[in-house]
Amino acid sequence: MNSSPIRVMFFCLGNICRSPLAEALFRYHVEEQSLTDRFEIDSSGTGSYHVGAPPDPGSVRVARERMGLDISGQRAQQLSPDHLRAFHYLVAMDRSNLRNAKRLTGASQANLVLLRDFEPHDGRGGDVPDPWGGGPDHFEKVYDIVHRCTREFLDYLCQQERL
Ligand code: 4NP
């Protein structure tokens, strides 16, 4: 396959809790569908507080326990206007993230979407709740939402991009 990869960026506020899980889970679904060569996948945060930091221990733990994946090597980065230009799809974890990203460009962009718009169950259009500072159950809940919505998002992309 020689067509250029589809670039997908997941983003939240800190890039240490939710979007690292979204990046890892989406990559997991992509690999399961043997579509690895068709995608470039990344994550970021609208805030700069945690730039360079590894994912939160709560996200590292849930990824290891539920997926057997080690996400501890990821490092947080801040979402930039360059990202908004370079990525085909930028996927916000909540509506506040989406507003912050729109402020970066001063315009609404068609490539900005909300993860829970791909919710197969109740809760479409809602937020992935921020688990920062919460207990393991908060991270379990995030995992469940992000797992099913990234799967649904990939199905959408497969149709949209004719994969
Ligand atoms: P995230 O969680 O956006 O899912 O990475 C947060 C991490 C840090 C902060 C807020 C949310 N913070 O305020 O530092």
Side-chain angles (χ1 to χ4, degrees), residues 11-20 44-46 49-50 56 59 93-94 97 128-133 139 142:
F11 67 100
C12 55
L13 175 57
N15 191 209
I16 56 170
C17 298
R18 293 165 292 178
S19 57
S44 62
T46 57
Y49 330 102
H50 300 282
D56 186 277
S59 291
M93 296 299 112
D94 68 30
N97 306 150
V128 180
D130 180 357
W132 191 57
F139 287 87
V142 166

Side-chain angles (χ1 to χ4, degrees), residues 23-34:
E23 177 186 339
L25 278 163
F26 184 73
R27 184 170 284 122
Y28 173 86
H29 298 314
V30 162
E31 284 171 8
E32 205 179 46
Q33 301 290 314
S34 306

Side-chain angles (χ1 to χ4, degrees), residues 9-130:
M9 167 73 82
F10 296 92
F11 67 100
C12 55
L13 175 57
N15 191 209
I16 56 170
C17 298
R18 293 165 292 178
S19 57
L21 278 175
E23 177 186 339
L25 278 163
F26 184 73
R27 184 170 284 122
Y28 173 86
H29 298 314
V30 162
E31 284 171 8
E32 205 179 46
Q33 301 290 314
S34 306
L35 290 170
T36 308
D37 294 348
R38 300 294 292 115
F39 285 96
E40 261 176 48
I41 306 163
D42 205 348
S43 67
S44 62
T46 57
S48 61
Y49 330 102
H50 300 282
V51 167
D56 186 277
S59 291
V60 172
R61 186 193 60 79
V62 78
R64 190 183 58 238
E65 288 184 3
R66 302 279 300 270
M67 305 158 72
L69 283 187
D70 180 9
I71 66 165
S72 64
Q74 291 188 30
R75 291 295 176 265
Q77 62 175 337
Q78 187 173 20
L79 181 68
S80 72
D82 283 348
H83 290 139
L84 286 160
R85 279 187 287 274
F87 282 79
H88 299 105
Y89 296 90
L90 297 110
V91 187
M93 296 299 112
D94 68 30
R95 286 164 288 183
S96 160
N97 306 150
L98 199 58
R99 281 193 298 275
N100 288 334
K102 284 175 179 170
R103 250 180 239 131
L104 271 182
T105 52
S108 67
Q109 289 202 203
N111 57 351
L112 281 168
V113 296
L114 188 65
L115 182 64
R116 290 194 84 181
D117 279 345
F118 302 93
E119 177 63 81
H121 300 308
D122 293 344
R124 191 162 292 170
D127 298 332
V128 180
D130 180 357

